[in-house]
């Protein structure tokens, strides 16, 4: 338990330090040229495609397994549904994070004037 | 002084309990028959209700509280309709109309979320860290709910 808490706290501290360093670089950000801008758009498109594909596959697999389980054992439907909702919420939040990141890359990029 | 503080704490807890009960009864009337799902969504709604006045109180700090509140509202909206549609998928008898309405609702929800995020990020230029933190309230609620369930199970076994 103590070890898990230690790992979680260390990870959070590293994330906070990393985020602070990343945001500190915003002020001295170089401007992007045309090729850089093109690459950014390409990266946003590919990033969203990968996120949508991964999340779609994950949600589909989860839903398939839930339907299978409920069909085999209808009495366990309640428990299966709770787990399914949790899984889908996690997967969907990942897709939303990817959308946010790609929107930032495309239309609110800190590296573009 | 200590007596007054404990009285205030008790009053707040009882009010929170009453609010939780009222939210859960409304959810039950809306078709959330599974107690675990109902409790989870009630917790998320209560968290959002708690965050709303805080965002209104601290709006003078800047866009950070408002972005957090917007993210939290968006996450709650998404989570509520996700849970509702899954309940309908698993429990309501299949027919063609249900399928069409489910598809419309699913893509409508995703469209509304995407448009809201676009408006928030591009037009309002909200701080993205606060927005993502608000969107993560669902994940935080699920983690806390899972921990509480684990604790309850351990307490029952002991």
């Amino acid at each position: 338990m103590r070890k898990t808490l230690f790992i979680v706290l260390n990870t959070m501290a590293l994330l906070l330090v990393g985020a602070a360093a990343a945001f500190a670089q915003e002020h001295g950000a170089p401007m992007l040229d045309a090729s850089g801008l093109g690459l950014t758009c390409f990266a946003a498109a590919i990033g969203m495609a990968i996120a949508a594909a991964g999340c779609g596959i994950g949600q589909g697999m989860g839903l398939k397994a839930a339907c299978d389980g409920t069909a085999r054992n209808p009495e366990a439907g309640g428990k299966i549904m709770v787990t399914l909702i949790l899984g889908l919420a996690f997967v969907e939040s990942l897709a939303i994070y990817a959308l946010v990141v790609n929107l930032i890359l495309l239309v609110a990029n800190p590296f573009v004037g | 002084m200590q007596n007054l503080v404990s009285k205030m704490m008790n009053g707040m807890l009882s009010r929170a309990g009453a609010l939780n009960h009222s939210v859960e009864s409304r959810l039950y009337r809306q078709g959330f028959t599974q107690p675990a799902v109902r409790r989870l969504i009630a917790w998320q709604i209560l968290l959002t209700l708690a965050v709303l006045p805080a965002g209104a109180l601290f709006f003078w700090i800047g866009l950070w509280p408002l972005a957090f509140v917007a993210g939290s509202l968006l996450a709650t909206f998404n989570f509520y309709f996700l849970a509702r549609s899954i309940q309908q998928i698993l429990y309501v008898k299949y027919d063609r109309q249900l399928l069409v309405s489910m598809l419309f609702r699913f893509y409508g929800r995703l469209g509304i979320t995407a448009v809201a995020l676009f408006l928030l990020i591009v037009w309002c230029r909200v701080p993205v860290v606060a927005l993502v933190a608000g969107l993560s309230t669902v994940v935080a609620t699920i983690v806390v709910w899972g921990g509480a369930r684990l604790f309850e199970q351990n307490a029952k076994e002991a």
Side-chain angles (χ1 to χ4, degrees):
Chain A
M1 185 67 190
R2 190 178 286 177
K3 194 179 169 188
T4 314
L5 191 67
F6 182 72
I7 291 169
V8 168
L9 287 177
N10 264 332
T11 313
M12 281 173 68
L14 278 174
L15 278 175
L16 284 175
V17 170
F23 280 96
Q25 283 177 350
E26 269 182 24
H27 297 290
M31 297 289 283
L32 284 180
D33 56 355
S35 61
L37 201 61
L39 279 175
T40 307
C41 291
F42 184 69
I46 291 289
M48 198 62 236
I50 291 173
C55 292
I57 291 169
Q59 285 199 336
M61 284 172 73
L63 201 58
K64 175 190 170 289
C67 289
D68 267 358
T70 312
R72 279 172 202 264
N73 186 8
E75 285 174 4
K79 280 185 179 175
I80 290 172
M81 192 186 64
V82 175
T83 317
L84 176 69
I85 288 174
L86 296 188
L88 291 190
F90 276 126
V91 173
E92 211 174 81
S93 62
L94 286 179
I96 290 172
Y97 294 154
L99 178 67
V100 169
V101 170
N102 290 313
L103 277 176
I104 293 166
L105 275 179
L106 271 183
V107 286
N109 197 328
F111 298 107
V112 179
Chain B
M1 185 65 188
Q2 212 171 9
N3 208 3
L4 186 71
V5 171
S6 69
K7 267 186 184 175
M8 277 176 65
M9 287 290 285
N10 281 339
M12 278 170 67
L13 282 176
S14 67
R15 271 186 202 167
L19 191 62
N20 186 26
H21 183 72
S22 124
V23 169
E24 281 204 30
S25 60
R26 280 187 188 199
L27 287 173
Y28 184 79
R29 267 180 262 142
Q30 285 168 4
F32 290 94
T33 46
Q34 278 294 317
V37 179
R38 201 169 57 233
R39 192 176 175 197
L40 185 58
I41 293 169
W43 279 19
Q44 176 62 27
I45 290 173
L46 285 177
L47 178 69
T48 309
L49 287 179
V51 160
L52 269 175
L57 271 177
F58 294 105
F59 77 96
W60 48 270
I61 293 176
L63 277 175
W64 279 72
L66 293 180
F68 185 79
V69 168
S72 175
L73 279 174
L74 211 55
T76 308
F77 162 80
N78 255 312
F79 189 46
Y80 173 83
F81 282 102
L82 173 78
R84 202 172 159 177
S85 62
I86 287 173
Q87 283 215 333
Q88 284 179 344
I89 288 170
L90 289 186
Y91 284 136
V92 179
K93 203 178 167 189
Y94 170 81
D95 66 358
R96 206 179 174 82
Q97 225 174 11
L98 176 80
L99 183 70
V100 174
S101 76
M102 208 60 84
L103 277 175
F104 268 108
R105 270 190 239 165
F106 185 80
Y107 286 112
R109 180 170 62 86
L110 285 185
I112 288 170
T113 309
V115 169
L117 282 176
F118 183 82
L119 292 178
L120 283 169
I121 292 171
V122 178
W123 277 11
C124 305
R125 294 266 169 187
V126 295
V128 183
V129 178
L131 184 68
V132 170
L135 287 170
S136 304
T137 49
V138 166
V139 179
T141 309
I142 291 173
V143 169
V144 171
W145 175 84
R149 271 193 96 171
L150 205 68
F151 183 74
E152 277 174 11
Q153 273 179 359
N154 283 345
K156 269 182 194 172
E157 281 171 13

